């Protein structure tokens, strides 16, 4: 069974690169979100095993998300 990873970053090229590299291993299903304010919805629907959240983003960043 593939592990699920949600990648949250405000730069689409970054999330795409991470997704492509992780999916290439064959062990991960990856979803991308580029709007930090909408990151909770994919997280609830997708139910990821891991969330990679950029630490510096407009509106809500990784540090604020865990606070």
């Amino acid at each position: 069974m593939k592990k699920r990873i949600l990648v949250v970053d405000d730069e689409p090229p970054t999330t795409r690169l991470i997704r492509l590299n992780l999916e290439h291993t064959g062990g991960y299903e990856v979803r991308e979100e580029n709007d930090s304010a909408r990151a909770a919805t994919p997280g609830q629907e997708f139910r990821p095993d891991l969330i990679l959240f950029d630490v510096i983003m407009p509106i809500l960043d990784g540090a604020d998300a865990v606070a």
Side-chain angles (χ1 to χ4, degrees):
M1 178 174 227
K2 292 183 179 184
K3 296 292 183 183
R4 295 180 189 149
I5 299 176
L6 174 62
V7 181
V8 183
D9 192 301
D10 57 329
E11 297 183 23
T14 301
T15 55
R16 184 170 188 258
L17 180 65
I18 293 169
R19 179 182 56 82
L20 291 172
N21 279 291
L22 287 169
E23 288 180 345
H24 183 71
T25 69
Y28 304 100
E29 181 181 350
V30 181
R31 296 258 176 105
E32 303 173 51
E33 182 54 62
N34 300 111
D35 182 349
S36 61
R38 295 187 347 216
T41 302
Q44 292 171 350
E45 295 170 3
F46 185 52
R47 308 208 25 104
D49 297 297
L50 176 70
I51 300 174
L52 298 176
F53 211 119
D54 186 5
V55 250
I56 302 173
M57 290 181 64
I59 302 170
L60 176 70
D61 60 27
D64 292 333
V66 297

